[in-house]
Amino acid sequence: MSFSADIKTEAAALPVKKTCCRRALIAGALLAGAECSERTLSVQLDCLPAAELCAHLVREQFGRDAEPESLGGRGTYLLAFESKSAAALLHDVAENPAAQFHCGECAAAFFRGLFIGGGTVSAPRKYYHLELKSRYAADLAPLCALAADNGIALKVSTRLGKQTLYAKDSGVIEDFLFFIGAGKQAFAFVNAKIGREIKNDINRRTNCETGNIARSTASAAKHLAAIRALDKHGRLSELGPDLEYTARMRLENPEIPLSQLGQMMTPTVSKPGLYHRLEKICSIAASLGETEKD
């Protein structure tokens, strides 16, 4: 089962005690998943528990039987029924969804129904993306404003002339899941997000460490090449006491880190100080090499 289906299954199982909230829930589900032709409504849902919940609410609210019909084993279910009152509710909620709210819990029930009827959330281990769609309403700006009134910062996108509400911010998605009552899946989302961030942090650190190692290796190879070139031509003694001592210590300990090599010297030399000496040796070697070429 997909993450979206897990959310819908949890949301469909939540008890809704108040009649006004149950009506708000079915209004949201119809707005998301229904198409209407005169009094005939067809509602497509992609989760069996959600389809069964909507069938129950259709019987309760409109007195119509609408058994979920599987569409070719694709995990999609169709509810088809005739109801003048359901068609009127669908029209009204598209015009003014807030007019259907009669208590402080109706908005959460409505958005729960909207998600059940046409919502998706990507699996958080991949990326963060919430979408809410409507097969009936053309303008979703009122829903966007209504979500904002309830602390959910959704955005409106238009693709192929069809509007969609969406969020790509993980915090907004978390807020939405808690708002509609899907607490178990909200915590699963948070845990997956934490795991993803830890993995990304480890990857960043590993890449950084790998880069540092590569830079240190290249730097050490450059220093050794310069020192060996000077030694080959018997010119280490021309460097002066400190630089000659540094060069010979490096030749004798080519694989030791600079911090450790500096501690082995007498007197000890800090890592930045030792690096500065080696860079100076490289400059001298380059200068002497250019002189030799002339």
Side-chain angles (χ1 to χ4, degrees):
M1 221 186 326
S2 69
F3 186 61
S4 294
D6 289 339
I7 298 169
K8 292 176 183 181
T9 298
E10 180 182 0
L14 294 172
V16 185
K17 297 180 180 180
K18 297 180 180 179
T19 301
C20 60
C21 292
R22 292 198 296 274
R23 190 168 183 82
L25 196 156
I26 191 59
L30 292 178
L31 185 62
E35 289 183 337
C36 182
S37 176
E38 295 182 355
R39 297 187 305 171
T40 302
L41 285 84
S42 58
V43 188
Q44 286 191 19
L45 301 125
D46 59 5
C47 171
L48 181 57
E52 291 174 340
L53 170 64
C54 289
H56 169 76
L57 291 174
V58 166
R59 284 193 295 271
E60 177 190 85
Q61 296 293 321
F62 312 118
R64 296 290 187 269
D65 287 328
E67 292 300 323
E69 176 187 349
S70 177
L71 297 179
R74 296 176 297 172
T76 304
Y77 301 87
L78 178 68
L79 305 180
F81 61 99
E82 288 189 8
S83 171
K84 186 177 180 179
S85 59
L89 175 63
L90 180 57
H91 175 77
D92 291 344
V93 77
E95 291 291 324
N96 186 8
Q100 311 303 318
F101 303 166
H102 301 286
C103 79
E105 300 170 12
C106 281
F110 171 78
F111 276 98
R112 187 185 310 156
L114 196 67
F115 184 82
I116 284 174
T120 58
V121 175
S122 62
R125 66 180 179 277
K126 298 178 181 178
Y127 54 94
Y128 308 132
H129 192 86
L130 161 70
E131 278 196 359
L132 297 173
K133 300 178 181 180
S134 172
R135 299 179 70 202
Y136 184 82
D139 182 12
L140 299 189
L143 294 180
C144 189
L146 186 58
D149 291 341
N150 288 275
I152 311 298
L154 301 179
K155 298 179 181 179
V156 180
S157 173
T158 302
R159 293 196 300 268
L160 300 175
K162 195 74 173 176
Q163 289 190 350
T164 300
L165 296 181
Y166 75 96
K168 293 186 177 182
D169 183 274
S170 60
V172 174
I173 298 173
E174 291 166 22
D175 291 343
F176 179 82
L177 295 180
F178 281 117
F179 178 60
I180 66 171
K184 181 179 178 181
Q185 297 308 317
F187 281 117
F189 182 92
V190 172
N191 289 336
K193 172 186 171 183
I194 292 171
R196 181 183 175 189
E197 290 177 349
I198 290 173
K199 182 179 178 180
N200 289 342
D201 185 57
I202 290 172
N203 288 339
R204 280 193 296 271
R205 292 189 181 197
T206 300
N207 292 338
C208 182
E209 290 172 1
T210 301
N212 288 338
I213 291 171
R215 285 189 292 272
S216 296
T217 301
S219 179
K222 181 183 75 170
H223 295 158
L224 283 167
I227 293 169
R228 284 168 179 157
L230 291 170
D231 187 40
K232 180 180 178 180
H233 293 88
R235 310 191 77 162
L236 289 182
S237 59
E238 298 176 19
L239 297 175
D242 289 343
L243 294 184
E244 181 183 3
Y245 176 47
T246 299
R248 295 193 183 283
M249 285 293 290
R250 195 36 154 169
L251 276 177
E252 294 170 6
N253 305 278
E255 296 181 358
I256 291 179
L258 292 186
S259 57
Q260 185 177 344
L261 181 63
Q263 294 300 311
M264 293 169 58
M265 297 173 69
T266 306
T268 60
V269 181
S270 67
K271 180 179 177 180
L274 186 55
Y275 179 81
H276 177 72
R277 287 188 184 185
L278 291 168
E279 285 291 300
K280 191 170 183 180
I281 291 171
C282 286
S283 296
I284 293 172
S287 175
L288 292 173
E290 290 173 2
T291 301
E292 289 173 359
K293 288 177 184 177
D294 294 335

